[in-house]
Amino acid sequence: MTSTSQQYRFVSAAKLPTRKGEFTIHGFVQDGTGVEHVALSYGSWQSDDVVPIRIHSECLTGDALFSTRCDCGFQLERAMENIVENGCGVLLYLRQEGRGIGLINKIRAYHLQDQGMDTVEANEHLGFDADMRTYEMCKVMLDKLNVKNVELMTNNPRKTAALKALDINVVARKPIDHGITKDNKHYIKTKTEKLGHAFDPHLLGD
């Protein structure tokens, strides 16, 4: 079996000034497939420090096109703000659009949701699992950045379990309840009820 370190490799890094602060962007590629992932780092730390991190799966519609039918773009923005406010941290940006089904299939799933399905039903109707994402690349990325102990910004327990399975010490989970709108409230409720995401029920309301 090919090891994770052989499957994913670091390519290059560069300064990335953003509206939130000046980050460094680190590029990684998966051998064989050419799939690319990036990490944004901010500040500095020692190897035994607890570093705030966010694992964020690519969402073109939410991150770049400002869609409000999901909470992805809101969470990306808040995670970057949290990292800068903390003085250091890492955002792992994974190319896993639509919980791993790809952009065009996500649009097909959106169409089914427009017809009345929820996000889980739509993915399964298209022949996919509810969540197709994997996280083994996070180990290579965090090792490269000398991050061993993390405070994970997430509402998704699968991400916590995935990092622990990779021998990454998740010291704490920090909720990232942000960006709940009338357009995505049903979507977030579905993630809570069917995928186990931990949102504050008071924010979701009735």
Side-chain angles (χ1 to χ4, degrees), residues 188-205:
I188 293 172
K189 281 188 174 182
T190 300
K191 289 201 297 182
T192 302
E193 294 167 0
K194 293 191 174 182
L195 298 175
H197 289 221
F199 284 90
D200 183 343
H202 294 97
L203 296 176
L204 295 177

Side-chain angles (χ1 to χ4, degrees), residues 23 40-45 51-53 83-84 86-91:
F23 289 77
L40 300 184
S41 65
Y42 183 89
S44 61
W45 49 83
V51 180
I53 75 164
I83 287 169
V84 172
N86 183 76
C88 71
V90 173
L91 187 142

